[in-house]
Amino acid sequence: MKATQHHHDNLLNDKALAPLSKIRPATLDKIEKAVHELFAGANAQDVTMIQIAKAANVSLQTLYKYFGDKHTVFQTIMDIVLGRLANRMIDHLQGIDSVKERLRKTLWVCFDFVDSHPDAVMVLTSVSTSDIRKISIYENKELINAFTSVLADGQNRGVLNDKVPLYVLFDVFMGFVMRIGTMQVIRHSPMPLTENFDDLFSILWRAISKPDIDTKS
């Protein structure tokens, strides 16, 4: 959660907001649920602070005190949600030697997140690329370094495709997660992604592994 705190501290300096640490956890939880509900079901530009306050059953004064505006509400809440996902991903990248198994566990965490947080996925699809970049978890160097180090290790071992730059493997992995995850929610699929996980991982593995390597290795 360091990225979230750093993001909010910067806003605190700019707008003299009350420290997020002072808000009651139950209140923050209600605001998080309201953000999921409102931003997932409408154009982000149409959502108002009054709507957020009403959906969260908190005062408008509380929202302005801790966040200042609706964009900061959105960015802070999504940073908290994605921060939890980032922590899980980092945990699953540790302590396993096999590149394939580390990527497998990471993909599982991502798809489990989609299955468990469909509203959060829809919120992200409704936001422009420029606004998404304002969510500080996207600049989380610990997560990015942990993940890219796995991909680099795979290339060095001759397990992953080494004919393309490292960032291409990263983009293929993330693009796979985002497209599959988004369409899973849009289609209202009754079957969770984790139900077909082995087949999905097999597709991804074939896409990024070295062309002449045995996919079972």
Side-chain angles (χ1 to χ4, degrees):
M1 303 303 295
K2 291 181 180 179
T4 302
Q5 189 61 53
H6 177 70
H7 177 65
H8 193 267
D9 286 347
N10 286 339
L11 295 169
L12 178 62
N13 293 333
D14 292 340
K15 301 184 179 182
L17 300 175
L20 194 61
S21 59
K22 299 296 184 181
I23 195 170
R24 293 177 56 203
T27 300
L28 190 59
D29 183 59
K30 290 192 294 184
I31 295 171
E32 178 180 326
K33 291 178 181 177
V35 167
H36 287 182
E37 174 188 338
L38 293 171
F39 283 86
N43 188 308
Q45 299 302 319
D46 296 334
V47 177
T48 67
M49 288 286 272
I50 293 176
Q51 289 177 311
I52 297 172
K54 183 177 180 180
N57 195 27
V58 300
S59 70
L60 194 59
Q61 181 182 7
T62 294
L63 287 184
Y64 280 112
K65 176 181 178 180
Y66 290 100
F67 302 98
D69 56 56
K70 72 171 184 179
H71 297 292
T72 304
V73 175
F74 169 79
Q75 290 163 15
T76 303
I77 294 301
M78 292 312 297
D79 203 35
I80 290 172
V81 173
L82 294 176
R84 297 188 197 117
L85 173 62
N87 289 336
R88 287 191 66 196
M89 290 176 69
I90 291 172
D91 287 343
H92 282 73
L93 287 171
Q94 309 300 320
I96 301 174
D97 182 63
S98 168
V99 171
K100 185 175 183 179
E101 190 60 24
R102 276 182 282 173
L103 292 177
R104 180 185 178 86
K105 286 184 174 294
T106 303
L107 185 65
W108 173 274
V109 168
C110 291
F111 282 166
D112 182 60
F113 176 84
V114 173
D115 290 337
S116 305
H117 301 80
D119 285 348
V121 174
M122 288 306 298
V123 168
L124 291 174
T125 64
S126 70
V127 182
S128 67
T129 302
S130 59
D131 285 337
I132 283 181
R133 296 298 299 180
K134 295 175 184 177
I135 302 174
S136 63
I137 195 61
Y138 281 85
E139 304 299 327
N140 187 324
K141 293 182 179 179
E142 182 183 6
L143 173 61
I144 293 173
N145 290 341
F147 191 74
T148 54
S149 66
V150 175
L151 299 176
D153 184 36
Q155 286 185 324
N156 292 334
R157 294 189 187 191
V159 175
L160 298 182
N161 191 318
D162 56 5
K163 301 299 183 183
V164 297
L166 184 64
Y167 67 80
V168 171
L169 295 185
F170 181 83
D171 289 345
V172 169
F173 186 99
M174 296 309 299
F176 185 81
V177 170
M178 293 175 66
R179 175 66 182 184
I180 296 293
T182 298
M183 295 312 299
Q184 168 78 1
V185 178
I186 289 176
R187 291 176 179 135
H188 301 287
S189 176
M191 182 179 295
L193 286 174
T194 50
E195 188 73 18
N196 288 325
F197 180 76
D198 287 341
D199 290 331
L200 290 171
F201 178 72
S202 178
I203 293 171
L204 176 62
W205 181 252
R206 288 199 300 269
I208 64 176
S209 60
K210 200 164 186 177
D212 58 350
I213 193 171
D214 181 357
T215 57
K216 296 181 179 181
S217 64

